[in-house]
Amino acid sequence: MSNRGGKIQRRPVHGVLLLDKPLGLSSNQALQKAKWLLRADKAGHTGTLDPLATGVLPLCFGAATKFSQIQLDADKTYEATLVLGQKTSTADAEGEVIETRPVPDITPELLATLTRQFTGPLAQIPPMYSALKKDGKALYEYARKGEDVEREARHITIYKLNLALAQVDRAPPAIKMIVSCSKGTYIRTLGEDIGEAIGCGAHLGSLRRLETGGFVAAQCVTLSALEALSEAEREALLLPPQSLVGSYPSVTLDADNAGRFLSGLRRRGEPGQWGADAPLVQVFGTNPPAFLGSAHITADELIPQRLLSPIEIKDILQASQQHSSVSEQVGLAARAH
């Protein structure tokens, strides 16, 4: 794994690792750890989770980074604990308690009213402790200096909200929330707004991402489990780059069209040859069978968007053959026992 200088030798790795981000690490710290374990030369994540948060964090390697924006724009589902009666400086458990108020009786009727009030299109003022930038500086940089700057409201949508009393005998009382929402939603802000609507204030005690863009927590691997695997086993966990666009229609090209498409040329088809007009499709070649990239279809023209390079396609095909060999060896070993 290392050269004589003790430095890790990076290599091209392509695919998506579904990580269950641990408590206490930033998304970038988790990414760098996984990148080191895979010796990957290029990597990125698909949307920040706070250090307080755990759960689904798709990590993109190599060619998959070209399609990470699709996950950034995806709808998400969270589970959170909302601690009532205490506001904190950061709107979560990491901040200092800045205000304490008595908590009224939390009845089923009140929860039903809150659910209706906070479901659907909403305008949110982003929290000061966030990575959003104002005049070139992240908001949290202002917040750490005690400065409060004006922020524009963001329009988000809460598709589904489930609220329940976490524990009847809990002190301070808390609400368990399950939230399905659009991109750009701050669950900390939602929690604070619910606390203000109740009249007692609130902050997030815990936050877990259950789902993003069709990927769910049950599919994810923890960092500790990843560390315990061999390098080949780690790489075998990677989903192919096209998994990021797997919910979109697909188009398969013959060798001639595939070559021209990979050169960035539009392909005009017969009426309906590529399918109906679509803002995004995944494109495959036949010889060899391989993912080529994404495109959109307008008036029977297939128009390239994000393309894999021939070297990336070759790397992915070779890695796929190696993974098949590893899987066969694991299967034979299991049968032998």
Side-chain angles (χ1 to χ4, degrees):
M1 181 181 288
S2 303
N3 62 19
R4 282 181 294 179
K7 215 174 169 183
I8 294 222
Q9 291 186 331
R10 302 285 181 183
R11 64 203 174 105
V13 174
H14 305 281
V16 181
L17 180 71
L18 299 182
L19 184 72
D20 189 336
K21 190 192 86 63
L23 187 69
L25 288 188
S26 70
S27 293
N28 189 57
Q29 287 171 328
L31 170 68
Q32 295 306 323
K33 181 74 172 174
K35 183 181 178 182
W36 183 83
L37 288 169
L38 282 160
R39 293 195 294 126
D41 59 8
K42 186 179 181 182
H45 59 68
T46 57
T48 303
L49 278 177
D50 293 337
L52 173 79
T54 65
V56 186
L57 182 65
L59 304 179
C60 298
F61 297 91
T65 61
K66 296 178 178 181
F67 309 95
S68 60
Q69 185 63 43
I70 292 162
Q71 272 298 311
L72 286 168
D73 294 340
D75 296 335
K76 297 166 177 66
T77 300
Y78 296 90
E79 180 179 75
T81 302
L82 184 61
V83 179
L84 303 178
Q86 296 177 344
K87 286 188 69 172
T88 71
S89 56
T90 57
D92 61 25
E94 291 193 312
E96 296 179 7
V97 175
I98 56 175
E99 189 178 347
T100 302
R101 283 184 259 169
V103 180
D105 190 23
I106 307 298
T107 64
E109 292 76 19
L110 174 59
L111 293 177
T113 298
L114 292 167
T115 299
R116 289 191 297 270
Q117 182 178 345
F118 289 96
T119 301
L122 298 175
Q124 273 194 343
I125 302 293
M128 281 300 301
Y129 277 91
S130 69
L132 283 180
K133 292 197 173 177
K134 171 92 171 178
D135 298 329
K137 284 172 60 178
L139 288 178
Y140 64 76
E141 293 182 61
Y142 294 102
R144 285 171 181 167
K145 294 178 181 177
E147 299 176 32
D148 196 324
V149 299
E150 189 175 343
R151 289 99 70 202
E152 285 188 18
R154 294 167 60 139
H155 296 283
I156 55 104
T157 302
I158 305 296
Y159 302 113
K160 190 174 181 182
L161 178 63
N162 185 288
L163 301 176
L165 202 57
Q167 270 182 262
V168 177
D169 59 349
R170 179 184 166 120
I175 290 174
K176 180 179 176 182
M177 306 194 303
I178 298 180
V179 186
S180 294
C181 56
S182 65
K183 71 167 185 174
T185 301
Y186 284 96
I187 306 300
R188 281 180 293 150
T189 300
L190 176 66
E192 273 202 322
D193 290 346
I194 289 174
E196 289 307 311
I198 295 172
C200 61
H203 71 271
L204 283 193
S206 66
L207 178 63
R208 181 166 176 76
R209 188 189 281 165
L210 302 177
E211 184 267 342
T212 176
F215 297 127
V216 298
Q219 296 173 273
C220 297
V221 63
T222 63
L223 273 179
S224 57
L226 195 66
E227 285 181 288
L229 299 175
S230 69
E231 189 173 84
E233 290 169 331
R234 290 169 192 158
E235 199 167 345
L237 287 176
L238 294 176
L239 300 177
Q242 63 263 33
S243 63
L244 293 172
V245 291
S247 63
Y248 293 90
S250 65
V251 172
T252 301
L253 302 178
D254 59 33
D256 182 55
N257 275 314
R260 292 172 185 272
F261 176 81
L262 278 178
S263 298
L265 298 176
R266 300 177 175 212
R267 311 311 306 135
R268 176 160 293 284
E270 298 296 325
Q273 180 178 351
W274 311 129
D277 284 6
L280 194 149
V281 294
Q282 43 183 332
V283 182
F284 294 86
T286 51
N287 186 24
F291 177 57
L292 307 180
S294 64
H296 63 275
I297 299 170
T298 302
D300 294 310
E301 261 198 322
L302 184 69
I303 303 166
Q305 287 181 336
R306 304 306 303 268
L307 302 176
L308 273 67
S309 71
I311 291 175
E312 288 171 337
I313 293 170
K314 181 181 175 183
D315 287 344
I316 291 167
L317 290 172
Q318 287 179 343
S320 179
Q321 291 174 347
Q322 291 169 357
H323 297 164
S324 297
S325 175
V326 169
S327 297
E328 286 175 14
Q329 290 171 11
V330 170
L332 287 171
R335 285 194 292 274
H337 287 87

